[in-house]
PDB file of all heavy atoms in Angstrom:
ATOM      1  N   SER C  12     132.992  94.497   0.221  1.00  0.00           N
ATOM      2  CA  SER C  12     134.256  95.098  -0.133  1.00  0.00           C
ATOM      3  C   SER C  12     134.444  95.118  -1.646  1.00  0.00           C
ATOM      4  O   SER C  12     135.325  95.713  -2.149  1.00  0.00           O
ATOM      5  CB  SER C  12     135.363  94.272   0.480  1.00  0.00           C
ATOM      6  OG  SER C  12     135.231  92.913   0.148  1.00  0.00           O
ATOM      7  N   ARG C  39     112.351  85.070 -18.959  1.00  0.00           N
ATOM      8  CA  ARG C  39     113.379  84.247 -18.305  1.00  0.00           C
ATOM      9  C   ARG C  39     112.781  82.903 -17.869  1.00  0.00           C
ATOM     10  O   ARG C  39     113.421  81.906 -18.012  1.00  0.00           O
ATOM     11  CB  ARG C  39     113.916  84.988 -17.082  1.00  0.00           C
ATOM     12  CG  ARG C  39     114.515  86.310 -17.399  1.00  0.00           C
ATOM     13  CD  ARG C  39     115.949  86.111 -17.792  1.00  0.00           C
ATOM     14  NE  ARG C  39     116.559  87.447 -18.054  1.00  0.00           N
ATOM     15  CZ  ARG C  39     117.750  87.565 -18.541  1.00  0.00           C
ATOM     16  NH1 ARG C  39     118.511  86.532 -18.752  1.00  0.00           N
ATOM     17  NH2 ARG C  39     118.232  88.797 -18.780  1.00  0.00           N
ATOM     18  N   THR C  48     122.494  71.134 -20.896  1.00  0.00           N
ATOM     19  CA  THR C  48     123.765  71.394 -20.230  1.00  0.00           C
ATOM     20  C   THR C  48     124.701  70.203 -20.273  1.00  0.00           C
ATOM     21  O   THR C  48     125.247  69.899 -21.305  1.00  0.00           O
ATOM     22  CB  THR C  48     123.578  71.880 -18.828  1.00  0.00           C
ATOM     23  OG1 THR C  48     122.904  70.851 -18.128  1.00  0.00           O
ATOM     24  CG2 THR C  48     122.837  73.180 -18.705  1.00  0.00           C
ATOM     25  N   ARG C  78     136.441  79.915 -20.167  1.00  0.00           N
ATOM     26  CA  ARG C  78     137.839  79.456 -20.000  1.00  0.00           C
ATOM     27  C   ARG C  78     138.757  80.614 -19.698  1.00  0.00           C
ATOM     28  O   ARG C  78     139.622  80.556 -18.870  1.00  0.00           O
ATOM     29  CB  ARG C  78     138.205  78.706 -21.321  1.00  0.00           C
ATOM     30  CG  ARG C  78     139.652  78.302 -21.400  1.00  0.00           C
ATOM     31  CD  ARG C  78     139.967  77.304 -20.280  1.00  0.00           C
ATOM     32  NE  ARG C  78     139.170  76.073 -20.374  1.00  0.00           N
ATOM     33  CZ  ARG C  78     139.459  75.046 -21.087  1.00  0.00           C
ATOM     34  NH1 ARG C  78     140.551  74.988 -21.792  1.00  0.00           N
ATOM     35  NH2 ARG C  78     138.697  73.980 -21.099  1.00  0.00           N
ATOM     36  N   ARG C  88     144.750  83.222  -7.767  1.00  0.00           N
ATOM     37  CA  ARG C  88     143.711  82.371  -7.211  1.00  0.00           C
ATOM     38  C   ARG C  88     142.411  83.162  -7.010  1.00  0.00           C
ATOM     39  O   ARG C  88     142.388  84.266  -6.538  1.00  0.00           O
ATOM     40  CB  ARG C  88     144.202  81.846  -5.882  1.00  0.00           C
ATOM     41  CG  ARG C  88     143.519  80.594  -5.435  1.00  0.00           C
ATOM     42  CD  ARG C  88     144.329  79.919  -4.376  1.00  0.00           C
ATOM     43  NE  ARG C  88     144.858  80.909  -3.464  1.00  0.00           N
ATOM     44  CZ  ARG C  88     144.166  81.479  -2.542  1.00  0.00           C
ATOM     45  NH1 ARG C  88     142.924  81.154  -2.388  1.00  0.00           N
ATOM     46  NH2 ARG C  88     144.697  82.372  -1.726  1.00  0.00           N
ATOM     47  N   ILE C 138     117.181  65.135   5.652  1.00  0.00           N
ATOM     48  CA  ILE C 138     118.069  63.975   5.588  1.00  0.00           C
ATOM     49  C   ILE C 138     119.453  64.260   6.068  1.00  0.00           C
ATOM     50  O   ILE C 138     120.307  63.345   6.209  1.00  0.00           O
ATOM     51  CB  ILE C 138     118.170  63.455   4.134  1.00  0.00           C
ATOM     52  CG1 ILE C 138     118.506  64.580   3.166  1.00  0.00           C
ATOM     53  CG2 ILE C 138     116.900  62.727   3.711  1.00  0.00           C
ATOM     54  CD1 ILE C 138     118.850  64.119   1.746  1.00  0.00           C
ATOM     55  N   PRO C 170     127.887  89.384   4.135  1.00  0.00           N
ATOM     56  CA  PRO C 170     128.597  89.186   2.835  1.00  0.00           C
ATOM     57  C   PRO C 170     129.671  88.121   2.931  1.00  0.00           C
ATOM     58  O   PRO C 170     129.914  87.379   2.017  1.00  0.00           O
ATOM     59  CB  PRO C 170     129.184  90.555   2.540  1.00  0.00           C
ATOM     60  CG  PRO C 170     128.336  91.512   3.317  1.00  0.00           C
ATOM     61  CD  PRO C 170     127.852  90.807   4.524  1.00  0.00           C
ATOM     62  N   ARG C 201     113.875  86.580  -5.563  1.00  0.00           N
ATOM     63  CA  ARG C 201     114.435  87.873  -5.405  1.00  0.00           C
ATOM     64  C   ARG C 201     114.271  88.391  -3.979  1.00  0.00           C
ATOM     65  O   ARG C 201     115.050  89.206  -3.489  1.00  0.00           O
ATOM     66  CB  ARG C 201     113.737  88.824  -6.403  1.00  0.00           C
ATOM     67  CG  ARG C 201     114.641  89.951  -6.801  1.00  0.00           C
ATOM     68  CD  ARG C 201     114.110  90.691  -7.956  1.00  0.00           C
ATOM     69  NE  ARG C 201     112.766  91.186  -7.722  1.00  0.00           N
ATOM     70  CZ  ARG C 201     112.200  92.133  -8.408  1.00  0.00           C
ATOM     71  NH1 ARG C 201     112.873  92.724  -9.367  1.00  0.00           N
ATOM     72  NH2 ARG C 201     110.994  92.552  -8.177  1.00  0.00           N
ATOM     73  N   VAL C 209     120.739  72.455  -5.326  1.00  0.00           N
ATOM     74  CA  VAL C 209     120.056  71.267  -5.785  1.00  0.00           C
ATOM     75  C   VAL C 209     121.023  70.207  -6.254  1.00  0.00           C
ATOM     76  O   VAL C 209     121.840  70.487  -7.157  1.00  0.00           O
ATOM     77  CB  VAL C 209     119.026  71.569  -6.921  1.00  0.00           C
ATOM     78  CG1 VAL C 209     118.177  70.320  -7.196  1.00  0.00           C
ATOM     79  CG2 VAL C 209     118.152  72.734  -6.540  1.00  0.00           C
ATOM     80  N   SER C 223     127.485  50.593   9.572  1.00  0.00           N
ATOM     81  CA  SER C 223     126.406  49.668   9.736  1.00  0.00           C
ATOM     82  C   SER C 223     126.905  48.335  10.287  1.00  0.00           C
ATOM     83  O   SER C 223     127.868  47.779   9.776  1.00  0.00           O
ATOM     84  CB  SER C 223     125.682  49.464   8.398  1.00  0.00           C
ATOM     85  OG  SER C 223     124.887  48.302   8.466  1.00  0.00           O
ATOM     86  N   VAL C 233     136.180  47.374  -1.347  1.00  0.00           N
ATOM     87  CA  VAL C 233     137.038  48.461  -0.857  1.00  0.00           C
ATOM     88  C   VAL C 233     137.750  49.108  -2.056  1.00  0.00           C
ATOM     89  O   VAL C 233     137.820  50.335  -2.197  1.00  0.00           O
ATOM     90  CB  VAL C 233     138.058  47.978   0.188  1.00  0.00           C
ATOM     91  CG1 VAL C 233     139.094  49.044   0.488  1.00  0.00           C
ATOM     92  CG2 VAL C 233     137.358  47.531   1.470  1.00  0.00           C
ATOM     93  N   LEU C 241     139.429  58.081  -5.599  1.00  0.00           N
ATOM     94  CA  LEU C 241     140.642  58.645  -6.214  1.00  0.00           C
ATOM     95  C   LEU C 241     140.398  59.234  -7.621  1.00  0.00           C
ATOM     96  O   LEU C 241     141.003  60.228  -7.997  1.00  0.00           O
ATOM     97  CB  LEU C 241     141.738  57.590  -6.267  1.00  0.00           C
ATOM     98  CG  LEU C 241     142.323  57.184  -4.891  1.00  0.00           C
ATOM     99  CD1 LEU C 241     143.062  55.849  -4.906  1.00  0.00           C
ATOM    100  CD2 LEU C 241     143.210  58.317  -4.362  1.00  0.00           C
ATOM    101  N   HIS C 251     142.312  71.957 -10.465  1.00  0.00           N
ATOM    102  CA  HIS C 251     142.919  72.874  -9.482  1.00  0.00           C
ATOM    103  C   HIS C 251     142.021  73.176  -8.289  1.00  0.00           C
ATOM    104  O   HIS C 251     141.886  74.328  -7.882  1.00  0.00           O
ATOM    105  CB  HIS C 251     143.367  74.141 -10.146  1.00  0.00           C
ATOM    106  CG  HIS C 251     144.554  73.932 -11.088  1.00  0.00           C
ATOM    107  ND1 HIS C 251     145.118  74.897 -11.867  1.00  0.00           N
ATOM    108  CD2 HIS C 251     145.246  72.815 -11.357  1.00  0.00           C
ATOM    109  CE1 HIS C 251     146.101  74.419 -12.543  1.00  0.00           C
ATOM    110  NE2 HIS C 251     146.171  73.115 -12.324  1.00  0.00           N
ATOM    111  N   VAL C 252     141.313  72.114  -7.882  1.00  0.00           N
ATOM    112  CA  VAL C 252     140.492  72.257  -6.713  1.00  0.00           C
ATOM    113  C   VAL C 252     140.985  71.311  -5.594  1.00  0.00           C
ATOM    114  O   VAL C 252     141.169  70.117  -5.886  1.00  0.00           O
ATOM    115  CB  VAL C 252     138.999  71.899  -7.081  1.00  0.00           C
ATOM    116  CG1 VAL C 252     138.146  71.798  -5.828  1.00  0.00           C
ATOM    117  CG2 VAL C 252     138.414  72.990  -7.988  1.00  0.00           C
ATOM    118  N   PRO C 288     149.150  81.711   0.163  1.00  0.00           N
ATOM    119  CA  PRO C 288     148.890  81.061   1.451  1.00  0.00           C
ATOM    120  C   PRO C 288     147.448  80.670   1.597  1.00  0.00           C
ATOM    121  O   PRO C 288     146.551  81.341   1.131  1.00  0.00           O
ATOM    122  CB  PRO C 288     149.281  82.133   2.467  1.00  0.00           C
ATOM    123  CG  PRO C 288     149.250  83.420   1.720  1.00  0.00           C
ATOM    124  CD  PRO C 288     149.523  83.104   0.277  1.00  0.00           C
ATOM    125  N   LEU C 305     150.531  71.027  11.764  1.00  0.00           N
ATOM    126  CA  LEU C 305     151.733  71.805  12.136  1.00  0.00           C
ATOM    127  C   LEU C 305     151.649  73.245  11.573  1.00  0.00           C
ATOM    128  O   LEU C 305     152.640  73.998  11.615  1.00  0.00           O
ATOM    129  CB  LEU C 305     152.984  71.101  11.626  1.00  0.00           C
ATOM    130  CG  LEU C 305     153.281  69.765  12.351  1.00  0.00           C
ATOM    131  CD1 LEU C 305     154.325  68.970  11.594  1.00  0.00           C
ATOM    132  CD2 LEU C 305     153.719  70.022  13.765  1.00  0.00           C
ATOM    133  N   PRO C 334     141.734  58.120  15.634  1.00  0.00           N
ATOM    134  CA  PRO C 334     140.635  58.957  16.165  1.00  0.00           C
ATOM    135  C   PRO C 334     141.119  59.864  17.297  1.00  0.00           C
ATOM    136  O   PRO C 334     140.752  59.656  18.425  1.00  0.00           O
ATOM    137  CB  PRO C 334     139.581  57.925  16.652  1.00  0.00           C
ATOM    138  CG  PRO C 334     140.431  56.703  17.007  1.00  0.00           C
ATOM    139  CD  PRO C 334     141.667  56.746  16.157  1.00  0.00           C
ATOM    140  N   THR C 337     142.089  65.688  20.162  1.00  0.00           N
ATOM    141  CA  THR C 337     142.602  67.067  20.069  1.00  0.00           C
ATOM    142  C   THR C 337     143.697  67.115  18.988  1.00  0.00           C
ATOM    143  O   THR C 337     144.153  66.051  18.584  1.00  0.00           O
ATOM    144  CB  THR C 337     143.240  67.494  21.423  1.00  0.00           C
ATOM    145  OG1 THR C 337     144.396  66.613  21.648  1.00  0.00           O
ATOM    146  CG2 THR C 337     142.295  67.353  22.573  1.00  0.00           C
ATOM    147  N   ASP C 354     164.818  64.989  11.131  1.00  0.00           N
ATOM    148  CA  ASP C 354     165.328  66.350  11.415  1.00  0.00           C
ATOM    149  C   ASP C 354     165.344  67.159  10.124  1.00  0.00           C
ATOM    150  O   ASP C 354     165.037  68.340  10.094  1.00  0.00           O
ATOM    151  CB  ASP C 354     166.751  66.278  11.974  1.00  0.00           C
ATOM    152  CG  ASP C 354     166.706  65.849  13.437  1.00  0.00           C
ATOM    153  OD1 ASP C 354     165.559  65.961  14.052  1.00  0.00           O
ATOM    154  OD2 ASP C 354     167.729  65.420  13.992  1.00  0.00           O
ATOM    155  N   GLU C 444     122.625  57.287  19.360  1.00  0.00           N
ATOM    156  CA  GLU C 444     121.858  58.012  20.344  1.00  0.00           C
ATOM    157  C   GLU C 444     120.791  57.124  21.020  1.00  0.00           C
ATOM    158  O   GLU C 444     120.626  57.153  22.220  1.00  0.00           O
ATOM    159  CB  GLU C 444     121.105  59.216  19.699  1.00  0.00           C
ATOM    160  CG  GLU C 444     121.983  60.437  19.463  1.00  0.00           C
ATOM    161  CD  GLU C 444     122.567  60.947  20.777  1.00  0.00           C
ATOM    162  OE1 GLU C 444     121.871  60.997  21.759  1.00  0.00           O
ATOM    163  OE2 GLU C 444     123.796  61.199  20.770  1.00  0.00           O
ATOM    164  N   LEU C 449     118.712  54.106  25.484  1.00  0.00           N
ATOM    165  CA  LEU C 449     118.158  52.870  26.093  1.00  0.00           C
ATOM    166  C   LEU C 449     119.039  52.399  27.243  1.00  0.00           C
ATOM    167  O   LEU C 449     118.549  51.964  28.272  1.00  0.00           O
ATOM    168  CB  LEU C 449     118.078  51.735  25.008  1.00  0.00           C
ATOM    169  CG  LEU C 449     116.979  51.957  23.984  1.00  0.00           C
ATOM    170  CD1 LEU C 449     117.008  50.919  22.902  1.00  0.00           C
ATOM    171  CD2 LEU C 449     115.585  51.938  24.696  1.00  0.00           C
ATOM    172  N   ALA C 496     128.260  70.552  19.741  1.00  0.00           N
ATOM    173  CA  ALA C 496     127.187  71.327  19.109  1.00  0.00           C
ATOM    174  C   ALA C 496     127.738  72.643  18.656  1.00  0.00           C
ATOM    175  O   ALA C 496     127.329  73.153  17.596  1.00  0.00           O
ATOM    176  CB  ALA C 496     126.071  71.539  20.135  1.00  0.00           C
ATOM    177  N   GLU C 503     136.207  77.253   8.385  1.00  0.00           N
ATOM    178  CA  GLU C 503     135.585  78.499   7.910  1.00  0.00           C
ATOM    179  C   GLU C 503     134.180  78.553   8.387  1.00  0.00           C
ATOM    180  O   GLU C 503     133.518  77.535   8.564  1.00  0.00           O
ATOM    181  CB  GLU C 503     135.651  78.452   6.353  1.00  0.00           C
ATOM    182  CG  GLU C 503     137.065  78.511   5.902  1.00  0.00           C
ATOM    183  CD  GLU C 503     137.190  78.177   4.444  1.00  0.00           C
ATOM    184  OE1 GLU C 503     136.252  78.327   3.725  1.00  0.00           O
ATOM    185  OE2 GLU C 503     138.267  77.727   4.105  1.00  0.00           O
ATOM    186  N   SER C 541     141.820  45.842  16.141  1.00  0.00           N
ATOM    187  CA  SER C 541     141.270  44.466  16.201  1.00  0.00           C
ATOM    188  C   SER C 541     140.583  44.140  14.907  1.00  0.00           C
ATOM    189  O   SER C 541     140.348  43.002  14.556  1.00  0.00           O
ATOM    190  CB  SER C 541     140.256  44.381  17.339  1.00  0.00           C
ATOM    191  OG  SER C 541     139.190  45.206  17.044  1.00  0.00           O
ATOM    192  N   LEU C 554     133.875  66.309  16.411  1.00  0.00           N
ATOM    193  CA  LEU C 554     133.377  67.617  16.186  1.00  0.00           C
ATOM    194  C   LEU C 554     133.865  68.553  17.265  1.00  0.00           C
ATOM    195  O   LEU C 554     133.524  69.730  17.335  1.00  0.00           O
ATOM    196  CB  LEU C 554     131.832  67.628  16.193  1.00  0.00           C
ATOM    197  CG  LEU C 554     131.231  66.643  15.177  1.00  0.00           C
ATOM    198  CD1 LEU C 554     129.731  66.665  15.280  1.00  0.00           C
ATOM    199  CD2 LEU C 554     131.659  66.995  13.805  1.00  0.00           C
ATOM    200  N   GLU C 556     137.114  70.254  19.350  1.00  0.00           N
ATOM    201  CA  GLU C 556     138.488  70.644  19.060  1.00  0.00           C
ATOM    202  C   GLU C 556     139.066  71.378  20.267  1.00  0.00           C
ATOM    203  O   GLU C 556     138.423  72.234  20.842  1.00  0.00           O
ATOM    204  CB  GLU C 556     138.513  71.544  17.870  1.00  0.00           C
ATOM    205  CG  GLU C 556     139.867  71.993  17.427  1.00  0.00           C
ATOM    206  CD  GLU C 556     140.537  70.871  16.599  1.00  0.00           C
ATOM    207  OE1 GLU C 556     139.975  69.809  16.470  1.00  0.00           O
ATOM    208  OE2 GLU C 556     141.645  71.107  16.194  1.00  0.00           O
TER     209      GLU C 556
END
Side-chain angles (χ1 to χ4, degrees):
S12 53
R39 299 275 180 185
T48 57
R78 174 62 60 88
R88 203 164 39 78
I138 52 172
R201 210 168 54 161
V209 187
S223 164
V233 170
L241 289 164
H251 292 177
V252 169
L305 292 168
T337 63
D354 284 342
E444 280 302 316
L449 288 175
E503 294 165 25
S541 65
L554 305 178
E556 183 79 357

